[in-house]
Amino acid sequence: TPDKCSQTIDQIFSPPHTTLLADLSSHLDEMTANGTLLNYLNKWERAFYYADEICTEVNSGGFEHYLYYHGTHFVKACQVFAQIGAQQMLCIAERIKNKFPHGRIPKSEASIQNAMDRLEEKGIDFEEEDEIYYSSAEKELLDRLTAYVLENQKHFR
């Protein structure tokens, strides 16, 4: 619960906002037991969580890593990109989807992993998407996410 987290939401939103996204990310991880209890989050917190998860996971191992371990959240993350106006992320998402059979990410984790393995066997990777992300899309996403969080501050617990 929020009252058992290491920082209160008021502390997180206190200026300066230099660590706002990182602090909020940690806070929501604590609230959800590292993502295992996402239903506990309200729709604003969940939207932030899905976008932040991509940032964290892509920076850990690229889109391949994100998709392999968290690809079941991909569609929800794309909805957040549209909601917050992260246009470059929407373009990257389209490129990623088009690499999969029928232009869509499978629904189950096992099916995603199987599809990823088949793509790898065919020499299909996500390096170009990683480069686009690192070169400009990440900054756009973080800027749009910061604006979203500040505009909806009252909804975060």
Side-chain angles (χ1 to χ4, degrees):
T1 61
D3 60 322
K4 294 184 180 179
C5 294
S6 57
Q7 282 188 301
T8 67
I9 202 68
D10 291 336
Q11 291 170 321
I12 292 168
F13 280 104
S14 294
H17 296 121
T18 53
T19 60
L20 174 66
L21 297 182
D23 291 345
L24 187 56
S25 178
S26 295
H27 183 72
L28 295 183
D29 275 345
E30 286 181 65
M31 284 175 51
T32 63
N34 293 316
T36 58
L37 303 170
L38 291 181
N39 288 337
Y40 180 73
L41 301 179
N42 65 37
K43 71 179 187 177
W44 296 275
E45 294 163 340
R46 204 169 309 132
F48 173 82
Y49 184 91
Y50 290 130
D52 178 64
E53 180 180 57
I54 280 207
C55 294
T56 302
E57 297 302 322
V58 171
N59 280 307
S60 287
F63 282 102
E64 183 175 336
H65 177 81
Y66 167 76
L67 291 164
Y68 203 83
Y69 295 103
H70 304 280
T72 57
H73 296 164
F74 183 78
V75 170
K76 292 174 184 168
C78 291
Q79 292 167 348
V80 175
F81 302 151
Q83 179 184 354
I84 67 174
Q87 295 302 314
Q88 291 183 57
M89 288 304 297
L90 287 170
C91 291
I92 290 172
E94 275 304 307
R95 290 173 58 111
I96 289 171
K97 285 190 293 188
N98 288 332
K99 291 184 178 195
F100 283 83
H102 310 292
R104 59 188 143 96
I105 308 292
K107 293 187 189 286
S108 76
E109 185 174 309
S111 294
I112 292 169
Q113 291 173 349
N114 287 335
M116 297 278 297
D117 291 343
R118 286 192 304 277
L119 292 174
E120 184 179 357
E121 289 169 4
K122 294 177 181 177
I124 298 172
D125 61 35
F126 301 94
E127 289 182 24
E128 288 181 21
E129 291 76 16
D130 291 345
E131 287 304 315
I132 296 167
Y133 176 79
Y134 299 132
S135 68
S136 62
E138 180 181 33
K139 181 179 181 343
E140 179 200 50
L141 177 57
L142 294 175
D143 289 347
R144 299 301 305 143
L145 200 51
T146 299
Y148 171 81
V149 167
L150 291 173
E151 288 167 12
N152 295 287
Q153 178 176 341
K154 67 183 177 193
H155 299 292
F156 287 86
R157 302 170 288 149

